[in-house]
Amino acid sequence: MDNERVILAIGRLERALSRIESAKSTMKADVDQTLEARHEALKEEMKQAIRTIDGLIERQEH
């Protein structure tokens, strides 16, 4: 049951990251630099969260 919740959480994170990337690609070329920096910071946080979850899953499997 716990694995299922973790897998679902990872799926939600991946879909959110995908939506962020899609939205970024449709933005105008003159994007506010502050917004761009915030986007990059959020993307890095999401990547770190996914790495953390992957580590938790790996430890639980062993």
Side-chain angles (χ1 to χ4, degrees):
M1 182 67 172
D2 288 333
N3 283 341
E4 183 179 334
R5 290 175 50 195
V6 171
I7 291 168
L8 291 173
I10 291 171
R12 287 192 304 270
L13 288 169
E14 289 175 338
R15 287 188 299 278
L17 188 56
S18 177
R19 287 192 304 271
I20 290 168
E21 288 296 323
S22 293
K24 180 182 177 191
S25 67
T26 60
M27 297 174 98
K28 295 180 181 177
D30 60 346
V31 174
D32 180 5
Q33 293 301 320
T34 303
L35 182 59
E36 180 70 21
R38 290 174 61 195
H39 172 263
E40 288 301 319
L42 178 59
K43 188 165 66 170
E44 287 305 313
E45 286 181 43
M46 294 297 294
K47 287 179 182 178
Q48 181 58 42
I50 291 170
R51 283 191 292 269
T52 299
I53 291 169
D54 284 342
L56 292 171
I57 291 170
E58 186 175 333
R59 278 186 283 191
Q60 188 175 19
E61 290 176 346
H62 297 289

